[in-house]
Amino acid sequence: MKIRQLACFVAVVDEGSFTRAARAIGIAQPSLSQHIRALEEELHGRLIERLPRGIALTPAGRTLLPEARAAVRAV
């Protein structure tokens, strides 16, 4: 698990969309999606549900979010 992956995860949650999150942290949307996909693969499950209008956290995503925020803040 890399801090960049966690930062991407937090950005998606905060912005409510992959497109807005990518813009907010200054990376291309496909790159952001790859970071999220790699994090989900490492944790063996979905963290974010992609909806027609925005996103929703899965139970695993809700569990990870406080720790991800703390890790990103600590860096």
Side-chain angles (χ1 to χ4, degrees):
M1 185 176 314
K2 297 177 181 158
I3 195 68
R4 186 67 168 165
Q5 294 169 331
L6 294 175
C8 288
F9 172 68
V10 170
V12 170
V13 173
D14 289 347
E15 295 296 328
S17 99
F18 280 73
T19 302
R20 287 192 305 265
R23 200 173 316 134
I25 61 175
I27 65 173
Q29 189 272 328
S31 179
L32 179 125
S33 292
Q34 288 175 346
H35 284 298
I36 298 297
R37 192 173 315 113
L39 182 60
E40 289 176 332
E41 287 175 10
E42 186 174 339
L43 296 175
H44 306 290
R46 290 293 228 189
L47 300 171
I48 298 171
E49 292 293 326
R50 289 118 174 116
L51 304 173
R53 291 186 173 251
I55 58 105
L57 287 176
T58 65
R62 286 191 296 276
T63 300
L64 177 64
L65 185 57
E67 288 83 6
R69 284 193 195 283
V72 170
R73 272 195 307 266
V75 173

